[in-house]
Every structure is written in structure tokens, then in C-alpha cells.
Amino acid sequence: MELQILKARTILHKTLLKLKASREDIEKNHFSRKDIINSMCETENELSEVLTTFLILEKQAREFSQSAYRLERLSMDLKFRIKDLENEIEANNF
């Protein structure tokens, strides 16, 4: 899962950079094409917002994964503790 997230983030970032490079090229060589330039700027801003949101979600997913691991570990520790207490009760009853 982490590899897929890393790949998706990289692709999104690469696409944003390619769009920016294309826009800059059009601004340099075809500066009169404001319709294309404005559309590309808008798309660039939208992709940037998507990337920012993706980074936030990626961080939250990592935090949730760490939290789930901690809770699973705590659950296992408590199950072992319960088993130990059950064995102790059983030993004291005989």
C-alpha cells in the first residue's frame, strides 16, 4: 500500500511539474495565447491543491496505520495478561 501511495504521489508531482514546464514554454514562445496560459494556470493551481490534499491524506493514513499497530499491540498484550491471570486463577483453585 505504501508503495502505491508513493507512486501516486510521484506521478501527481511529475504531472504538475510537466504542466508547469509546458505553461512556461507557452508563455515564453506564444505569450499571446492567454486562453491556453490561463487554462494551464488554473489546472496547475487545481493540481497543486490536489497534491496538498494528497499529502495531508498520506500523513493521516500513516498516523492511522501507526495507531492501529499500537492498538493491536496493546490488544495482544492484554490478551496475554488475561491468559496469565486465568492460568493463575486456575492454579490457585486446584
Side-chain angles (χ1 to χ4, degrees), residues 22-67:
S22 296
R23 177 191 46 84
E24 289 172 350
D25 184 59
I26 291 172
E27 284 178 331
K28 180 180 175 185
N29 298 316
H30 306 282
F31 52 87
S32 63
R33 295 299 312 265
K34 296 295 181 189
D35 57 324
I36 296 173
I37 295 168
N38 290 340
S39 176
M40 292 178 85
C41 281
E42 183 180 342
T43 303
E44 201 175 327
N45 288 334
E46 290 169 350
L47 281 176
S48 182
E49 188 175 325
V50 169
L51 181 59
T52 300
T53 302
F54 188 90
L55 293 172
I56 291 168
L57 293 173
E58 181 183 14
K59 180 181 177 191
Q60 286 180 343
R62 197 175 316 111
E63 289 171 355
F64 288 146
S65 178
Q66 290 170 348
S67 179

Side-chain angles (χ1 to χ4, degrees), residues 2-19:
E2 285 187 34
L3 185 58
Q4 289 174 317
I5 291 173
L6 179 61
K7 182 180 176 185
R9 178 171 36 102
T10 303
I11 290 170
L12 185 56
H13 191 256
K14 181 180 91 172
T15 303
L16 184 58
L17 291 176
K18 285 169 45 177
L19 179 64

